Amino acid sequence: TEHVATATLPASFNDLLPHFLVEPDDEYIVKNKPVTLTCRSTPATQIYFKCNGEWVHQDDHLIDRTVDPATGLPIMQVKIDISRQQVEKIFGLDDYWCQCVAWSTTGTQKSQKAYVRIAYLRKNFEEEPIGKEVSLNQEVLLRCHPPEGVPAAEVEWQRNEHVIDPVSEPNFLVTADRNLIIKQARLADTANYTCVAKNIVARRRSSPATVLVYVNGGWSTWTTWSACSSVCGRGWQRRSRSCTNPTPLNGGMACDGQNVQKSACTATCPVDGGWSDWSNWSECGVDCSMWRSRECTQPSPGTGGKDCQGIDLQSLNCTSQQCLQTHLEATASGVEDVALYVGIVAVALCLTLILIVVVLVYRRKKEGLDADVADSSILTTGFQPMGIKPSKPENSHLLTIQPDLTTTTTSYQGTLHSRHDGTTHTGTAKFSMTNGPLLDPLPNGSHHTLHNGKMTSDPAEFMTRLSNQTYFKTLPRDVANTSYGTFNFLGGRLTIPNTGISLLIPPEAIPRGKIYEIYLTAQRKEDLRLPLAGCQTLLSPIVSCGPPGVVLTRPTILSMDHCSDACPENWAIRLKKQNYEGVWEDVLMMGEELISEPYYCQLEAETCRVFSEQLGRFSLVGESLNMSAAKRLRLVLFSDAYCSTLEYNIRVYCMDDTQDVFKEVMQMERQLGGRLIDEPHVLLFKDSYHNLRLSIHDMPQAHWRSKLLAGYQEIPFYHIWNGSQRFLHCTFTLERLNLSTCELTCQLCVWQVEGEGQSFSLDFNIAKPLFGTLPQICASTQSSLAGPSAFQIPYLIRQKICSSLDTPCPNGADWRLLAQRLKLDRHMSFFASKASPTSVILDLWEAQHFHSGNLNQLATVMADIGKQEAMIFLVSDGEC
């Protein structure tokens, strides 16, 4: 039997369906307190509740009937109470729900379902915030996952028991997953942070998380040097700085380094003045007094010394007899003086009259002289004639002046003459140029015989003549760092041995009929310093090739080592060139090359290849974009070749990983008599502003000990990073306890402060050479090659390959496929901008594979492309 609440409707409302004015809502049972569900409908004859599919007993309904005064419709309201016991009967199976149904004579309506749940909030947080120590201005993230609960708990954050309001405090942010973010940690943000979770049942607090904002110390600027501690002779002066910019707080790191610097000084000693001897007494004067004097000149006071004490003029009264005699003599002398003065005035008047007469006579005679005679007198003076025209043509050779070719000029007067001119060509070929001077010209009609690309003249004479030019004053005079030769249209190659520096002059780069004398030199870094700013560092040697201004029809390829890591995203690398005024200019930015520019660069793992249509002075400069940028350093260990004392020195050189620097160090160590005691090691040095530290450990204490007072030696960051320091090294002085001890085993540790380091094991006998004597590094006879001997691909075969691949093919079997097979496809746009893309590709292949190239491999690539010209590689050199 169903128990329902019923009512009788007026006849006029029998055709209306009931609609709900109030429907039951979801409710939560807190602890043991029951909840009430309400349902109101009009017009309705009966209303009943159904919970979890079962009708609620009629006695459990609380019914209230009213009439709507506006419409006259009856309103029926029914309420029921739900207890915790009723809900717990089905807890775990399904949610407890109730729904009311309203009836009228026309039909029925069902309300929405109302779910009744038991509210709770567990005690333990699923994730509590964890305290942190952070630096100033760092972002802080505090995580919080509240306890499980019904309904879900709301989260608020407290700082030192005060609620954080992100609206009023924009430095705080509460994320959607209830975590707290401190955008920029301030000192005031050092506090205890608590995550508070709450719902209608309970309120839970997490364990407090302490955030400590620390400040690392920073040095203030140095004070000015103090006065020398000694007022006379050698002393000391000091300057200081304090760790107050900022001061370390809350456990922040103290400043690294010294707060006081001392420097030796020499103070000039003060010299006190001394009196000279008194002069003789003067004669007795008219006033019956005589005097004498002395000077403060033995010695004169200087450098803050004291002046002489006392008087410098002393007077004394004469005796009565001396005073009377002097007075009489003075009276007589006065009469004689008057006569003398009158005579002098008369003589002066006579002389003046005579002089006036002489001047008047001279002027009258001068007016009658011929003007040409006056003009000719000018030629007898000390002035040089300017633009004088001779009277006789046969004497014109006397005015011909040989020009000084060592002075600044604006046109090139080098060996740019035709191969067929012979001795009949008496003029010097010239072409206009807007910049500085080049080399002196060769004598007219002279020819140089090319022996493997080398001139027959003396190398020292060539360097002397080259260095005398205005533009080349900074060129080194040592032949070991310079290579030169004479080249024509067949091209050639210049190489500086043992430096990784070479210049490839492709065939047809020099116009036909021209012969150029070209040089290649490596500059010493201390002779020519680049202006570096900010995070910039020198990544390559400074290389000069020239003469600048010569006409080239195709780009040459300059190869040189670099020491950057293989991560271009960490660097902004620029190619710099020095102009004729001596100013370094950026001519290329890696990754932003324009094919219309006369420069292009290919950056390989350890080598940079510069395509240039203009010769000059180049270098590669890098600017780090982040602290992950690193330079490759080469660590080389040397020691004394012979040790006859107890002391033993180990020198650890830290240099850029380029061959030219290594060559300089090897040459210097050979002069010092050193020996190499271990293979060179490569270390990545990051742009982290931290110094490089070196130390030696694990020596056998029974036989060796270190004489260093500190545990390590340190090389400042900027000395390494700017790349301009030569022979940068640390010396470790060890001492053996017995002269018979020769075996040395130890560990060399090298690390950057707060960074990863490396450790190298050393085990050698100091009495026996490890690697023998240092290898001799001298100029090779093959440093200059001209013509076909400079290239691996024969000239005629090269021409056939270019003519075959330059023409585009529909199937792509042209120069583009050659670049792809040679792994040069990233330079497609550069190759396409040239008249003969294939020739530029072959030039780059020649530059890369001069010592290691394999023509058979190139022939295989040509065969894969489908070109029969590849078979020509298999013929012998004699047939070519």
Side-chain angles (χ1 to χ4, degrees), residues 543-844:
V543 180
S544 297
C545 55
V550 296
V551 175
L552 298 174
T553 58
R554 290 179 51 192
T556 59
I557 301 180
L558 176 64
S559 301
M560 53 186 176
D561 289 351
H562 70 87
C563 59
S564 70
D565 60 4
C567 301
E569 65 273 8
N570 297 333
W571 290 95
I573 300 179
R574 296 175 173 86
L575 177 67
K576 285 183 174 287
K577 181 177 182 290
Q578 191 179 33
N579 62 20
Y580 291 92
E581 288 74 23
V583 179
W584 286 93
E585 300 174 336
D586 295 341
V587 296
L588 179 67
M589 170 73 82
M590 295 295 180
E592 300 178 5
E593 299 92 344
L594 298 176
I595 58 176
S596 60
E597 297 294 331
Y599 308 99
Y600 190 82
C601 186
Q602 182 200 23
L603 196 67
E604 301 172 2
E606 298 180 357
T607 307
C608 170
R609 308 197 188 274
V610 179
F611 294 79
S612 175
E613 298 177 7
Q614 300 176 5
L615 302 182
R617 186 169 291 151
F618 299 92
S619 67
L620 208 63
V621 173
E623 182 176 3
S624 61
L625 300 179
N626 51 61
M627 297 179 68
S628 298
K631 290 179 62 175
R632 294 193 325 274
L633 301 182
R634 184 181 300 189
L635 301 178
V636 189
L637 281 69
F638 291 92
S639 66
D640 300 329
Y642 303 99
C643 179
S644 58
T645 63
L646 295 178
E647 285 190 356
Y648 188 71
N649 296 320
I650 296 178
R651 295 180 291 278
V652 183
Y653 287 85
C654 177
M655 66 190 79
D656 291 345
D657 187 20
T658 57
Q659 297 181 52
D660 64 301
V661 182
F662 182 65
K663 174 183 176 181
E664 289 185 10
V665 173
M666 293 288 286
Q667 290 174 336
M668 188 192 70
E669 277 293 331
R670 184 179 298 104
Q671 296 174 359
L672 296 176
R675 67 165 181 167
L676 192 65
I677 61 174
D678 196 13
E679 292 287 350
H681 302 277
V682 176
L683 174 71
L684 290 179
F685 187 76
K686 292 187 177 181
D687 182 18
S688 61
Y689 298 98
H690 292 305
N691 301 338
L692 188 70
R693 291 180 176 176
L694 303 94
S695 63
I696 286 184
H697 304 280
D698 301 338
M699 290 184 300
Q701 300 296 326
H703 304 286
W704 292 88
R705 68 179 180 182
S706 174
K707 300 192 69 174
L708 295 178
L709 299 179
Y712 58 86
Q713 296 197 60
E714 195 169 81
I715 302 177
F717 169 81
Y718 288 103
H719 288 184
I720 300 175
W721 190 255
N722 61 19
S724 61
Q725 298 281 342
R726 293 181 67 211
F727 310 138
L728 202 60
H729 71 282
C730 290
T731 300
F732 291 92
T733 302
L734 309 180
E735 185 179 33
R736 48 181 174 171
L737 304 182
N738 194 306
L739 282 175
S740 61
T741 301
C742 294
E743 294 293 334
L744 174 60
T745 59
C746 59
Q747 290 281 335
L748 173 65
C749 297
V750 183
W751 74 98
Q752 204 171 355
V753 180
E754 297 186 3
E756 298 180 357
Q758 297 184 24
S759 179
F760 312 112
S761 298
L762 302 180
D763 187 357
F764 59 95
N765 189 310
I766 67 173
K768 298 179 181 179
L770 289 178
F771 299 93
T773 59
L774 294 182
Q776 290 292 330
I777 300 177
C778 58
S780 171
T781 57
Q782 300 297 317
S783 62
S784 175
L785 296 174
S789 61
F791 306 96
Q792 296 205 44
I793 306 175
Y795 181 71
L796 295 179
I797 297 177
R798 175 192 179 93
Q799 287 184 318
K800 291 184 179 181
I801 295 176
C802 293
S803 61
S804 175
L805 296 183
D806 280 344
T807 305
C809 294
N811 59 356
D814 50 24
W815 63 269
R816 293 169 294 182
L817 187 56
L818 176 63
Q820 183 179 356
R821 295 296 174 85
L822 295 179
K823 299 180 180 180
L824 302 175
D825 46 329
R826 63 181 180 278
H827 308 298
M828 284 291 192
S829 59
F830 172 69
F831 297 145
S833 66
K834 302 304 176 184
S836 175
T838 308
S839 63
V840 181
I841 296 174
L842 296 180
D843 292 342
L844 182 55

Side-chain angles (χ1 to χ4, degrees), residues 61-108:
H61 290 75
L62 180 61
I63 303 172
D64 183 20
R65 294 184 176 88
T66 58
V67 176
D68 187 350
T71 60
L73 292 176
I75 299 174
M76 179 177 290
Q77 178 177 285
V78 178
K79 296 181 179 181
I80 63 172
D81 291 334
I82 306 298
S83 65
R84 184 185 183 101
Q85 290 76 14
Q86 292 176 267
V87 176
E88 286 179 341
K89 289 181 180 180
I90 61 168
F91 185 77
L93 300 177
D94 199 359
D95 287 339
Y96 190 91
W97 59 268
C98 292
Q99 185 182 42
C100 66
V101 180
W103 285 12
S104 69
T105 56
T106 306
T108 62

Side-chain angles (χ1 to χ4, degrees), residues 412 414-421 425 428-431 450 486-491 509-518 550-553:
Y412 177 76
T415 57
L416 308 182
H417 49 80
S418 173
R419 298 174 58 202
H420 306 289
D421 285 349
H425 185 71
T428 303
K430 299 183 180 180
F431 60 90
L450 303 183
T486 306
F487 305 94
N488 59 9
F489 76 98
L490 292 176
I510 299 176
R512 289 178 179 262
K514 300 292 183 182
I515 298 177
Y516 290 167
E517 184 180 86
I518 296 178
V550 296
V551 175
L552 298 174
T553 58

Side-chain angles (χ1 to χ4, degrees), residues 91 118-127 144-155 178 197-204:
F91 185 77
I118 299 175
Y120 67 94
L121 183 63
R122 300 193 184 279
K123 293 183 178 181
N124 297 326
F125 281 75
E126 295 187 10
E127 182 179 6
C144 177
H145 196 168
E148 179 186 354
V150 174
E154 298 178 356
V155 171
R178 307 182 184 103
K198 59 182 178 179
N199 64 3
I200 59 176
V201 179
R203 178 186 181 96
R204 310 290 187 212

